[in-house]
């Protein structure tokens, strides 16, 4: 049987994963990438401090959302060394110096929350129900099944599906918990990529969604040398099976009649199917389809996440923790709010551009300690502060005082902040300019009402969730499609299943 021709636009994790599966299933794949290197937002940068070079993750930092079957099927599992901290996560509330251990064992967690924040709710029941929902989501990934509330209700029961998929995050958190601090920790991912309101329909679903990866069984961790190894290795694996990757390639036009993509440099590519693994807005430059254009313009894109990468000349030491205990690589969370109402107000203020920065929470990734665990000794220790809530309109270099404010919030918990000898700050505006993310959203498009779960599609063709509009030979599988962004490739894989099932 002769091979069909697939042209994939975009060499981020989704384009690379999709290409890998297509090439192994009787397609001849050519990738077109406009940047000079592959990886999209999963890439690296370099910095020289004191005459020593160090690489660091420019965009994505930690691995977690990737399904284990993608990690294995693509061949990544043979190439990468990865590690997820065994030690519990640690949560700080800066207003009253509370420090909470998020134990993996639900019994220990229940006791910890009871003792530290007076939680009197249903902690174990929350974890059990969450695991049921996550299992349902993961089964859908593997089957490449388009999300459907009807199917979810059949599997989970009407009540659970309503509470966890269609319902609001506030309602879900109020149902299981009594303590505002527990609610904040368990619900924080609702605004992980964008300032979604905890009162919007479907916002509850973001909570299990963010833990639905399986490479670490729902947890998150580090990749030896850095997360960009995922896309670099995928690039090499893809080339080894015959995929042609064209970097620095700018599309001039797409001839849909003749099924041809023309580049500025004169090259052209014929296709049977064309897949955009980009943000959802970029394809509109090349595709003349007024109704699709209108529906894309109407979508909501704003992102409010920022990132500081801080370099330390000595190992970071945490207050209350010994210099060599197992907690050094654990994820840490610093909350500047202590109740859901303030959480909501602050995230909405940045959405509406009222403030450049409204401290919400900071996720601290102890990347340097993670690298040491993986046997990679680097010239500097590294911490990453993934920060909420930053407004869209300014670049990091325009906000030096906020850069400092973010660092100081973390430095309160470190005994050697004076060892910090450099840092880099990225805002949503920077992400827009450096990664072409519409309005700087790390999921390309907000995970909000009308564009989450079964609505996270651009298809107008029944039974073909990843089609782009009503075009039978054009698909879309970037982070703006189901399930969401992340270094996962799930959308790429599900799009592949959609293509071969049709
Ligand atoms: C600061 C930051 C921190 C993050 N942290 C994490 C994290 O810790 N863990 C995690 O899992 N995720 C994280 N993310 C999210 C994650 O990086 C993204 O969701 C994911 O990489 C998106 O992958 P993608 O393949 O869908 O798109 P992208 O990575 O955006 O790739 C799309 C590709 O398409 C190319 N392209 C666009 N337009 C065209 C065109 N016209 N022609 C040709 N090529 C084109 C782009 O150059 C790009 O290479 C973070 C993102 C950022 C920015």
């Amino acid at each position: 049987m002769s091979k069909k021709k697939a042209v994939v636009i975009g060499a981020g994790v989704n384009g690379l994963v999709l290409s890998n599966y297509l090439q192994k299933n009787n397609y001849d794949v050519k990738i077109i990438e406009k940047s000079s290197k592959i990886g999209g937002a999963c890439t690296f940068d370099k910095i020289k401090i004191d005459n020593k070079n160090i690489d660091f993750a420019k965009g994505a930092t930690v691995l977690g959302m990737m399904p284990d079957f993608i990690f294995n099927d693509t061949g990544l599992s043979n190439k990468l060394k990865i590690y997820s901290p065994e030690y519990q996560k640690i949560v700080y509330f800066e207003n009253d110096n509370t420090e909470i251990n998020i134990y993996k064992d639900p019994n220990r967690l229940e006791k910890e929350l009871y003792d530290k924040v007076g939680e009197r709710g249903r902690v174990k029941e929350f974890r059990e129900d969450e695991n049921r929902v996550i299992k349902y989501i993961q089964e859908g990934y593997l089957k490449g099944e388009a999300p459907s509330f009807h199917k979810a209700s059949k599997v989970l029961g009407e009540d659970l599906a309503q509470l966890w998929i269609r319902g609001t995050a506030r309602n879900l958190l109020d149902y299981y918990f009594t303590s505002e601090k527990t609610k904040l920790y368990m619900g924080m991912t609702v605004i992980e990529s964008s300032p979604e309101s905890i009162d919007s329909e479907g916002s509850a679903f973001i909570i299990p969604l963010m833990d639905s990866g399986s490479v670490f069984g729902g947890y998150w961790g580090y990749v030896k040398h850095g997360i960009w190894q995922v896309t670099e290795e995928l690039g090499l694996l893809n080339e080894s099976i015959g995929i042609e990757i064209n970097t620095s390639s700018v599309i001039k036009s797409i001839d849909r009649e003749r099924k041809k993509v023309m580049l500025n440099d004169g090259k052209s590519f014929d296709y049977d199917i064309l897949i955009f693994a980009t943000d959802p807005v970029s394809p509109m430059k090349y595709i003349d389809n007024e109704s699709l254009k209108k529906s894309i313009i109407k979508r909501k894109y704003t992102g409010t996440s920022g990132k500081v990468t801080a370099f330390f000349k000595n190992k970071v030491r945490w207050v209350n923790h010994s210099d060599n205990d197992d907690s050094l690589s654990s994820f840490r969370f610093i909350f500047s709010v202590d109740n859901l109402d303030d959480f909501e107000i602050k995230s909405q203020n940045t959405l509406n551009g009222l403030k450049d920065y409204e401290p919400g929470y900071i996720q601290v990734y102890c990347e340097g300690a993670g690298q040491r665990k993986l046997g990679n000794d680097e010239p500097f220790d590294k911490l990453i502060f993934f920060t909420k809530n930053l407004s869209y309109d300014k670049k990091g270099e325009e906000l030096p005082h906020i850069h400092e404010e973010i660092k100081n919030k973390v430095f309160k918990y470190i005994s050697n902040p004076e060892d910090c000898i450099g840092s880099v700050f990225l805002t949503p505006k920077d992400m827009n300019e450096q990664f072409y993310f519409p309005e700087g959203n790390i999921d390309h498009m907000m995970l909000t009402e009308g564009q989450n779960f079964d609505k996270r599609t651009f298809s107008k063709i029944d039974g073909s969730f990843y089609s782009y509009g009503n075009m039978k030979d054009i698909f879309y599988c970037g982070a703006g499609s189901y399930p969401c962004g992340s270094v996962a490739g799930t959308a790429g894989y599900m799009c592949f299943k959609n293509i071969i099932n049709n």
Side-chain angles (χ1 to χ4, degrees):
M1 198 164 76
S2 73
K3 289 190 168 191
K4 286 191 175 174
K5 293 189 178 78
V7 171
V8 176
I9 319 274
V13 67
N14 278 311
L16 292 166
V17 166
L18 165 82
S19 301
N20 188 283
Y21 279 98
L22 282 176
Q23 181 80 11
K24 291 173 182 163
N25 284 274
N26 216 32
Y27 279 86
D28 177 42
V29 181
K30 307 231 181 309
I31 300 180
I32 299 172
E33 166 57 55
K34 73 175 174 181
S35 294
S36 57
K37 58 181 182 181
I38 64 165
C42 182
T43 182
F44 71 102
D45 215 336
K46 288 174 181 296
I47 190 167
K48 192 172 199 164
I49 308 171
D50 289 348
N51 257 338
K52 291 177 204 149
N53 290 307
I54 186 163
D55 295 344
F56 64 98
K58 191 172 168 190
T61 318
V62 286
L63 185 69
M65 275 284 279
M66 183 173 273
D68 50 5
F69 63 85
I70 293 182
F71 194 61
N72 293 325
D73 292 351
T74 52
L76 280 175
S77 54
N78 295 324
K79 300 284 177 185
L80 301 180
K81 197 168 167 195
I82 59 175
Y83 158 76
S84 173
E86 266 308 305
Y87 196 88
Q88 64 267 13
K89 297 174 195 165
I90 298 163
V91 175
Y92 306 101
F93 283 91
E94 63 167 353
N95 293 344
D96 60 8
N97 284 327
T98 321
E99 182 176 327
I100 309 170
N101 293 295
I102 305 298
Y103 296 112
K104 291 184 179 178
D105 171 37
N107 289 310
R108 274 187 94 185
L109 177 63
E110 188 173 64
K111 178 162 183 341
E112 173 80 356
L113 294 173
Y114 185 96
D115 291 344
K116 298 271 180 71
V117 300
E119 175 58 52
R120 299 291 182 268
R122 325 168 197 206
V123 175
K124 279 185 287 186
E125 197 184 320
F126 174 83
R127 283 291 190 230
E128 279 160 22
D129 290 349
E130 184 185 40
N131 286 337
R132 287 177 63 194
V133 179
I134 288 174
K135 188 163 171 272
Y136 161 74
I137 299 172
Q138 290 174 341
E139 283 170 0
Y141 292 160
L142 181 61
K143 287 187 230 157
E145 192 173 85
S148 140
F149 185 70
H150 176 69
K151 280 189 198 140
S153 304
K154 268 174 70 178
V155 177
L156 297 170
E158 183 71 33
D159 291 348
L160 218 55
Q162 191 59 44
L163 190 62
W164 284 83
I165 295 178
R166 279 280 187 265
T168 71
R170 194 195 293 268
N171 194 39
L172 178 90
L173 297 164
D174 284 345
Y175 176 78
Y176 289 98
F177 306 117
T178 58
S179 153
E180 289 288 304
K181 286 182 175 142
T182 316
K183 291 177 196 175
L184 282 173
Y185 175 74
M186 297 297 186
M188 72 179 154
T189 51
V190 169
I191 59 164
E192 175 134 340
S193 79
S194 59
E196 171 62 333
S197 166
I198 54 169
D199 294 314
S200 93
E201 292 296 323
S203 52
F205 180 66
I206 304 170
I207 295 171
L209 180 68
M210 289 297 151
D211 287 339
S212 63
S214 43
V215 67
F216 293 122
Y219 289 93
W220 291 74
Y222 308 98
V223 179
K224 187 169 181 183
H225 300 299
I227 196 165
W228 60 89
Q229 298 299 324
V230 170
T231 46
E232 300 229 324
E233 283 298 345
L234 275 172
L236 294 173
L237 286 162
N238 282 352
E239 281 174 341
S240 75
I241 54 172
I243 297 174
E244 182 182 307
I245 304 179
N246 300 275
T247 50
S248 304
S249 296
V250 178
I251 299 173
K252 185 173 170 204
S253 60
I254 295 173
D255 185 336
R256 284 179 43 214
E257 294 266 295
R258 289 162 61 220
K259 293 179 165 256
K260 236 182 199 339
V261 180
M262 264 77 65
L263 302 188
N264 270 353
D265 64 8
K267 271 195 196 161
S268 67
F269 300 91
D270 295 321
Y271 66 83
D272 294 305
I273 53 167
L274 176 66
I275 307 104
F276 285 96
T278 62
D279 64 87
V281 182
S282 290
M284 281 296 100
K285 280 184 233 153
Y286 315 106
I287 289 180
D288 196 16
N289 184 325
E290 271 316 305
S291 74
L292 185 57
K293 206 171 262 177
K294 272 193 199 138
S295 86
I296 284 180
I297 290 167
K298 272 203 310 225
R299 304 284 186 131
K300 295 180 185 156
Y301 294 96
T302 311
T304 48
S305 301
K307 175 181 170 182
V308 171
T309 305
F311 304 91
F312 294 76
K313 64 180 176 197
N314 291 305
K315 270 197 325 192
V316 171
R317 296 194 307 270
W318 293 89
V319 173
N320 291 340
H321 292 270
S322 78
D323 277 8
N324 55 6
D325 76 18
D326 271 346
S327 76
L328 295 186
S329 60
S330 285
F331 290 25
R332 289 162 156 84
F333 302 83
I334 297 166
F335 282 87
S336 302
V337 290
D338 40 31
N339 61 78
L340 279 185
D341 284 338
D342 285 352
F343 179 82
E344 172 77 358
I345 291 166
K346 289 184 188 253
S347 71
Q348 295 306 303
N349 278 354
T350 31
L351 170 65
N352 299 321
L354 296 179
K355 290 264 181 82
D356 290 332
Y357 176 46
E358 276 277 35
Y361 66 83
I362 299 173
Q363 299 185 16
V364 183
Y365 308 137
C366 305
E367 169 81 17
Q371 290 304 323
R372 291 196 296 274
K373 282 272 185 190
L374 284 159
N376 178 28
D377 272 320
E378 295 181 297
F380 304 106
D381 200 349
K382 266 186 278 191
L383 290 182
I384 286 84
F385 314 147
F386 185 74
T387 305
K388 301 302 301 185
N389 307 294
L390 290 149
S391 69
Y392 171 61
D393 47 354
K394 295 203 179 79
K395 297 205 271 189
E397 64 193 25
E398 295 173 77
L399 301 168
H401 54 294
I402 290 175
H403 186 168
E404 281 307 298
E405 187 180 342
I406 294 169
K407 284 195 290 185
N408 287 331
K409 281 182 181 295
V410 184
F411 288 175
K412 279 199 276 189
Y413 301 97
I414 291 176
S415 343
N416 58 333
E418 68 286 355
D419 283 343
C420 179
I421 45 169
S423 58
V424 181
F425 179 34
L426 216 60
T427 64
K429 185 77 184 166
D430 295 309
M431 296 182 205
N432 171 258
E433 291 185 2
Q434 296 185 27
F435 305 119
Y436 320 114
F437 284 6
E439 293 183 39
N441 190 311
I442 67 168
D443 282 305
H444 287 173
M445 183 171 84
M446 281 177 75
L447 278 160
T448 189
E449 212 170 329
Q451 43 192 60
N452 196 356
F453 193 61
D454 52 343
K455 309 281 188 315
R456 204 167 175 82
T457 175
F458 299 90
S459 173
K460 296 264 182 280
I461 302 177
D462 278 349
S464 182
F465 193 83
Y466 290 88
S467 286
Y468 201 51
N470 57 3
M471 297 168 281
K472 288 209 170 81
D473 51 356
I474 304 191
F475 298 84
Y476 171 74
C477 72
S481 57
Y482 180 81
C484 57
S486 230
V487 179
T490 318
Y493 167 81
M494 293 184 74
C495 178
F496 153 74
K497 291 289 270 188
N498 183 158
I499 291 165
I500 54 160
N501 288 341
N502 282 9

